[in-house]
Amino acid sequence: MADTHDHSGHDHDGHDHGAGHVHGSTDKKRVLIAACLTAGFMVAEALGGLFTGSLALLADAGHMLADAIALGLAWYAFHLAGRPATGQLTYGFGRVKTLVAYTNGIAIFVIALWIVYEAWGRLLTPTPVLGGPMLVVAILGLLVNIGSFLVLHGGDRESLNMRGAILHVLGDLLGSAAAIVAAVVILATGWTPIDPILSVLVSLLILSTAWSLMRAAAHVLLEGVPPSLDRDLVAKDLETTIAGVREVHHMHVWSLDGSSNMATLHACLDEGVDAYQAVSSIKKRLASEHGISHATVEPEFGQCADDGDEHDHEHEHDAAAHHSHHH
């Protein structure tokens, strides 16, 4: 029974890797389709906004401009990520996607702030808005955005780049919905301040999503431990489950692009333990139990080669105490 379980675990791992590749290529196509839809309609919506005098439409066109650029960049990031690593970029281009996700967040921030500023001016001095044409443009915008959303929705949920693209389109959906509501209110009551008020609401919603995307991307760029993992618990797990491992220290865990995790660590082994066997067991355990696909393990007997180095000082102090206690 144990044997079959093990075999299925191995199989699953292989399948996962394949799924990642499949996701990458279909995600790339999905993003390109959404980018073309968004860019095409953005022009129509900007002209519609100028013609009708609607800030809600212009706000939505602004979002769609940011999104067309963002989706284009997201497509380019997928395109680059497929390239092999080089002598200079030894990890390849995987992190371009995270960089794009972060830049996207900043772009949305700037546009949303501009809309809030513009809306404030409109509330102080209301301007006339043509409700009928505005409604037509807004409904068309909603349909285009629903199309883009459905195309992207089937993509890989784990990918930060894909999450960024979906967030952009969701923002557009909200923008179009708000423009429709504003147009209906203007047609029914002639009350134009609804236009800037709703455009501000959409901006605030978009600011919060942009902020969460930027935080997630910044965490990856700062080599933070992936949210799904706890470095100390992983180290403890290795110490308790792998025979001959006395202690794990100098452990670093990070993610390359928000989906593939990596680790480096020092494994302090008991005397007489087969180092190759121990390292191999550690790597297997990290891959199967913790989703860390790439690990560099430095085996040690007795004293840590990095002792006396300032780096990770407290951890080393513990290790030294641990060693002396054992001797």
Side-chain angles (χ1 to χ4, degrees), residues 2-250:
D3 190 55
T4 56
H5 177 83
D6 220 53
H7 182 71
S8 74
H10 181 78
D11 240 51
H12 177 72
D13 201 47
H15 167 77
D16 237 300
H17 190 68
H21 275 296
V22 172
H23 263 315
S25 60
T26 62
D27 284 356
K28 187 173 155 182
K29 280 198 202 88
R30 288 172 191 280
V31 170
L32 185 61
I33 293 167
C36 294
L37 279 174
T38 307
F41 195 75
M42 176 269 299
V43 177
E45 198 166 34
L47 293 172
L50 292 170
F51 172 67
T52 59
S54 161
L55 182 64
L57 278 185
L58 277 176
D60 199 37
H63 289 144
M64 288 186 94
L65 170 65
D67 297 351
I69 293 168
L71 290 165
L73 281 173
W75 173 82
Y76 188 61
F78 276 121
H79 175 68
L80 275 183
R83 287 193 188 175
T86 66
Q88 261 65 46
L89 292 167
T90 54
Y91 279 129
F93 292 83
R95 202 163 265 190
V96 172
K97 292 188 287 193
T98 311
L99 209 52
V100 166
Y102 188 74
T103 317
N104 270 352
I106 294 174
I108 306 176
F109 240 81
V110 172
I111 285 177
L113 290 173
W114 172 77
I115 289 161
V116 172
Y117 168 77
E118 190 67 25
W120 180 246
R122 290 276 181 113
L123 283 171
L124 294 177
T125 54
T127 52
V129 179
L130 303 174
M134 177 184 169
L135 183 62
V136 173
V137 176
I139 289 172
L140 287 174
L142 185 70
L143 294 174
V144 169
N145 289 323
I146 288 172
S148 296
F149 180 73
L150 291 175
V151 167
L152 293 175
H153 196 63
D156 180 11
R157 262 342 155 296
E158 294 301 300
S159 158
L160 266 184
N161 197 22
M162 208 53 185
R163 263 175 60 196
I166 290 172
L167 275 183
H168 275 289
V169 173
L170 266 179
D172 285 344
L173 262 173
L174 288 171
S176 297
I180 289 171
V181 172
V184 169
V185 169
I186 289 167
L187 282 173
T189 65
W191 191 61
T192 52
I194 186 71
D195 182 52
I197 289 169
L198 284 178
S199 59
V200 168
L201 270 179
V202 173
S203 296
L204 294 178
L205 280 169
I206 284 170
L207 279 174
S208 66
T209 51
W211 177 245
S212 67
L213 177 68
M214 279 167 72
R215 274 183 54 192
H219 190 73
V220 172
L221 293 173
L222 290 170
E223 311 269 316
V225 175
S228 57
L229 294 170
D230 180 323
R231 182 194 70 168
D232 299 340
L233 283 180
V234 173
K236 225 151 239 63
D237 174 63
L238 294 175
E239 288 168 356
T240 50
T241 58
I242 310 287
V245 174
R246 189 164 81 227
E247 189 205 6
V248 169
H249 58 264
H250 272 329

Side-chain angles (χ1 to χ4, degrees), residues 279-322:
V279 169
S280 170
S281 303
I282 287 170
K283 289 189 173 201
K284 277 194 185 117
R285 178 87 186 166
L286 286 173
S288 63
E289 293 301 311
H290 303 290
I292 296 171
S293 51
H294 183 100
T296 305
V297 181
E298 187 175 317
E300 297 168 344
F301 295 97
Q303 202 186 350
C304 173
D306 284 358
D307 267 350
D309 188 7
E310 286 301 297
H311 188 55
D312 218 351
H313 196 68
E314 283 172 52
H315 217 121
E316 256 150 32
H317 187 70
D318 291 351
H322 202 98

